[in-house]
Amino acid sequence: MIQQIAILGCGLIGSSWATFFASQGFRTKLYDIDPATSQRGTQQAEDNLQKLVELEALSEEKLEEAISNLLPVKSLEELLCDCDYVQESVLEDYDVKADLYREMETFLSNRTIIASSSSGLLMSRMQQALEHPQRSLIAHPFNPPHLIPLVELVPGKQTSRETIETVRDFFLQLGKQPVLLKKEVPGHIANRLAAALWREALSLLDDDVASLEDIDTALCSGPGLRWALMGQHLIYELGGGVGGYDHFIETIGSSFSTYWEDMQTWSQIPESAKKKAIEGTSPLFEKRTREEWLAWRDEKLIKIQQILEE
Ligand SMILES: NC(=O)c1ccc[n+]([C@@H]2O[C@H](COP(=O)([O-])OP(=O)(O)OC[C@H]3O[C@@H](n4cnc5c(N)ncnc54)[C@H](O)[C@@H]3O)[C@@H](O)[C@H]2O)c1
């Protein structure tokens, strides 16, 4: 049974995971190789919890308990000595993660599960560093993990069935939406979809088809609204009318070939696209500061999910 959580790496994702587990009533230790980040991450998690109360996503009575669940520690040994589940959220780099896994294992009991937040690395490669690889897998969240329900579970070749089941049941019990990959691919599911879309969003900008703001509006005021409800396959099944997906593929699907033929296929972001993207976001900050955008995002994310739960 998972009771004691260890957050390894307290940057953007680690601090948000800590918020989530602490709000769910788990004793949650936090450690970062950089002591200042460890403190900052803990403070960030506290601030997140406070904001959850303001947004009525956490009750005032549970706030104190949730904050007391956050326990920053000073060493890896202290972090891991009595934990059941480690959510590793350190730098996205094979060598950094592998070195860390080797070191971690000296402090872990062999029942402890190691879950990596990795956005797109392969677990089979990372778990080669472990003597007990069967208890490791990827549990990839979407930012911010304390507000977005998706968790992509990606087993490596040596991950045991028991580990997969335990982690899947754990997240289901906590109200998350786990999806299980049948095979490993770089970027899992959601980031591959995001990567395809992002390349096109950058290409449209680079080719001066529209402004950055209009490209983003075309997404969030159109398909984005439907995506909160249903995925691409169901959308196009319904888009085919009474003929369903079959009809959609045979008719509208063929015109998509014209678009695909016209699309860029680069795998390195062109310098010109980088420049336009970075310059193009500045007007957005005339409307709201970064902090205001984040607060706005979090408030709307909670409201959307409340509607979906109705
Ligand atoms: N940023 C995102 O949107 C996002 C979303 C989902 C998953 N992820 C994944 O989460 C992980 C962390 O990403 P992030 O955006 O939080 O990065 P980040 O740079 O904000 O945080 C990484 C933290 O890891 C710490 N760290 C590095 N080596 C360490 C070690 N050996 N021991 C302990 N701490 C160490 C760093 O000091 C840093 O604070 C990555 O694997 C990333 O792919 C990121």
Side-chain angles (χ1 to χ4, degrees):
M1 198 161 118
I2 296 174
Q3 286 176 318
Q4 169 75 52
I5 306 287
I7 298 293
L8 183 45
C10 303
L12 184 74
I13 296 304
S15 58
S16 178
W17 268 126
T19 310
F20 173 69
F21 289 119
S23 73
Q24 295 285 328
F26 291 92
R27 260 184 107 231
T28 304
K29 291 194 201 169
L30 302 93
Y31 169 76
D32 195 286
I33 199 162
D34 172 26
T37 307
S38 204
Q39 284 307 324
R40 224 181 10 254
T42 309
Q43 186 57 53
Q44 182 63 56
E46 269 194 51
D47 294 348
N48 291 343
L49 288 166
Q50 185 67 55
K51 279 191 205 125
L52 288 180
V53 173
E54 285 160 28
L55 296 170
E56 296 175 14
L58 182 71
S59 67
E60 187 82 53
E61 302 81 72
K62 285 203 172 159
L63 176 65
E64 207 176 311
E65 185 206 327
I67 290 177
S68 69
N69 282 333
L70 296 168
L71 306 160
V73 297
K74 293 198 165 61
S75 70
L76 195 57
E77 183 172 10
E78 225 186 313
L79 179 80
L80 303 175
C81 61
D82 54 359
C83 76
D84 306 305
Y85 177 93
V86 186
Q87 185 72 48
E88 170 273 300
S89 306
V90 307
L91 212 64
E92 183 80 341
D93 179 285
Y94 277 116
D95 292 337
V96 171
K97 294 201 196 259
D99 286 350
L100 183 61
Y101 286 8
R102 251 176 242 114
E103 195 185 346
M104 276 164 73
E105 218 168 23
T106 54
F107 306 120
L108 287 175
S109 82
N110 53 16
R111 64 173 165 76
T112 307
I113 289 171
I114 303 170
S116 174
S117 297
S118 172
S119 299
L121 304 180
L122 303 182
M123 194 68 226
S124 293
R125 187 165 157 195
M126 292 192 276
Q127 65 187 184
Q128 282 169 9
L130 291 167
E131 265 180 53
H132 300 281
Q134 66 278 6
R135 64 192 184 191
S136 63
L137 84 175
I138 284 171
H140 172 245
F142 239 57
N143 184 40
H146 68 285
L147 294 179
I148 303 242
L150 176 68
V151 185
E152 293 179 300
L153 300 181
V154 197
K157 286 192 177 70
Q158 300 186 76
T159 308
S160 70
R161 178 57 42 195
E162 192 192 344
T163 299
I164 299 168
E165 297 299 332
T166 304
V167 176
R168 186 159 61 173
D169 290 350
F170 177 55
F171 279 121
L172 280 173
Q173 276 166 20
L174 301 183
K176 287 282 189 196
Q177 192 93 58
V179 296
L180 177 64
L181 270 74
K182 292 194 270 184
K183 62 164 104 156
E184 294 172 290
V185 281
H188 322 316
I189 302 172
N191 272 335
R192 284 174 83 96
L193 294 171
L197 191 65
W198 190 31
R199 180 168 59 196
E200 192 48 32
L202 284 168
S203 295
L204 290 167
L205 183 68
D206 204 17
D207 293 344
D208 283 327
V209 174
S211 68
L212 181 141
E213 220 173 334
D214 279 352
I215 294 166
D216 273 6
T217 302
L219 253 190
C220 62
S221 299
L225 279 177
R226 297 190 304 203
W227 283 333
L229 307 175
M230 53 183 83
Q232 208 58 34
H233 294 299
L234 180 54
I235 285 172
Y236 285 166
E237 162 63 50
L238 299 181
V242 285
Y245 211 178
D246 189 3
H247 181 67
F248 189 91
I249 289 170
E250 292 311 322
T251 54
I252 304 169
S254 58
S255 54
F256 273 56
S257 302
T258 327
Y259 319 152
W260 285 321
E261 278 162 19
D262 190 57
M263 284 180 184
Q264 302 282 342
T265 54
W266 46 254
S267 53
Q268 297 292 329
I269 302 176
E271 285 305 317
S272 52
K274 260 188 222 174
K275 195 163 172 283
K276 285 182 190 171
I278 292 163
E279 283 170 6
T281 50
S282 2
L284 301 175
F285 295 104
E286 286 161 18
K287 278 193 194 162
R288 293 186 179 94
T289 63
R290 180 172 298 277
E291 286 65 37
E292 285 166 348
W293 273 117
L294 288 170
W296 181 86
R297 177 198 69 183
D298 291 356
E299 183 190 344
K300 303 293 180 202
L301 278 174
I302 289 172
K303 286 191 174 152
I304 289 170
Q305 288 178 77
Q306 284 167 346
I307 289 170
L308 291 174
E309 279 162 17
E310 276 168 11

